[in-house]
Amino acid sequence: MLNLMSSSAVIRLRAATPHDQSFIAHVFRSARPDLQYIDGDTDLVESVIELQQRVLQQGAGEAHPNAMHFIAELHDSPAGVALVDFGHNEVHIIFLAMLPQLRGKGYGRTVLQSLQQAAWKVSTPLSVVVWHSNQAALRLYQALGFVVTERSVMADKLVWYPERDPALSPAPAVAIS
């Protein structure tokens, strides 16, 4: 378990277990409100949400065989989810989200900074793909020193390069709404 310090609390990051699957599904659902706008009955919407989560996990497994789910805990309670691949040439964040009531409070930033620290220690870039519709996430990543390296119609790939220890230069504060 890894202890991370935020401005007011300790966040623990631990490997997910099979018992965490319902929490992971809950956080995924909360991070994809766009799927709630599908024109159809409740059963159709639910099946599409479940399918999207399976596609994320299967795609991650195929493209990123070393990917691991982590649970961020705040006060010993699950607070967020990270799916991270520790590949040969980069550490790649596949999915990162906190519970809705914890967003915008700096906890996700703390998790990201710990991933930057881990990437710095092994001299490996840290990458993520961010949907254009997620402007708050884009601002956060850029505030932490990530730069856009690839653009597409729906999303951009951002990379943080480990040029200096991120612990030595705190990132500027970012208001996320």
Side-chain angles (χ1 to χ4, degrees):
M1 192 175 305
L2 178 63
N3 289 335
L4 315 169
M5 296 300 295
S6 80
S7 59
S8 61
V10 174
I11 295 181
R12 290 181 176 85
L13 198 59
R14 65 167 174 81
T17 69
H19 297 349
D20 293 312
Q21 290 308 309
S22 63
F23 178 73
I24 292 168
H26 173 70
V27 172
F28 177 80
R29 173 184 301 277
S30 74
R32 292 294 310 270
D34 57 310
L35 297 177
Q36 299 295 328
Y37 298 116
I38 297 170
D39 188 22
D41 62 24
T42 303
D43 289 339
L44 173 66
V45 172
E46 291 300 314
S47 66
V48 170
I49 291 170
E50 289 173 16
L51 176 65
Q52 286 294 308
Q53 184 180 3
R54 274 197 310 273
V55 165
L56 173 71
Q57 290 179 329
Q58 287 174 348
E62 291 171 11
H64 304 283
N66 298 317
M68 294 177 58
H69 265 112
F70 294 93
I71 303 298
E73 293 182 330
L74 178 64
H75 306 298
D76 297 322
S77 295
V81 174
L83 179 57
V84 181
D85 177 48
F86 296 91
H88 298 293
N89 299 324
E90 69 182 7
V91 177
H92 183 70
I93 303 165
I94 300 165
F95 179 77
L96 174 63
M98 303 302 287
L99 288 169
Q101 65 270 25
L102 298 177
R103 293 180 190 150
K105 299 181 186 291
Y107 302 121
R109 171 187 288 268
T110 301
V111 172
L112 283 171
Q113 288 172 320
S114 72
L115 292 171
Q116 284 179 308
Q117 186 70 32
W120 178 79
K121 285 181 179 179
V122 294
S123 299
T124 303
L126 178 63
S127 67
V128 65
V129 174
V130 179
W131 294 99
H132 292 167
S133 61
N134 194 347
Q135 289 297 305
L138 181 62
R139 286 190 302 272
L140 174 59
Y141 284 107
Q142 289 177 325
L144 290 175
F146 285 74
V147 294
V148 175
T149 60
E150 296 176 28
R151 295 191 185 276
S152 73
V153 175
M154 300 291 289
D156 295 333
K157 180 178 181 179
L158 289 88
V159 178
W160 176 82
Y161 296 97
E163 296 169 356
R164 65 179 182 273
D165 184 346
L168 297 178
S169 56
V174 173
I176 299 175
S177 54

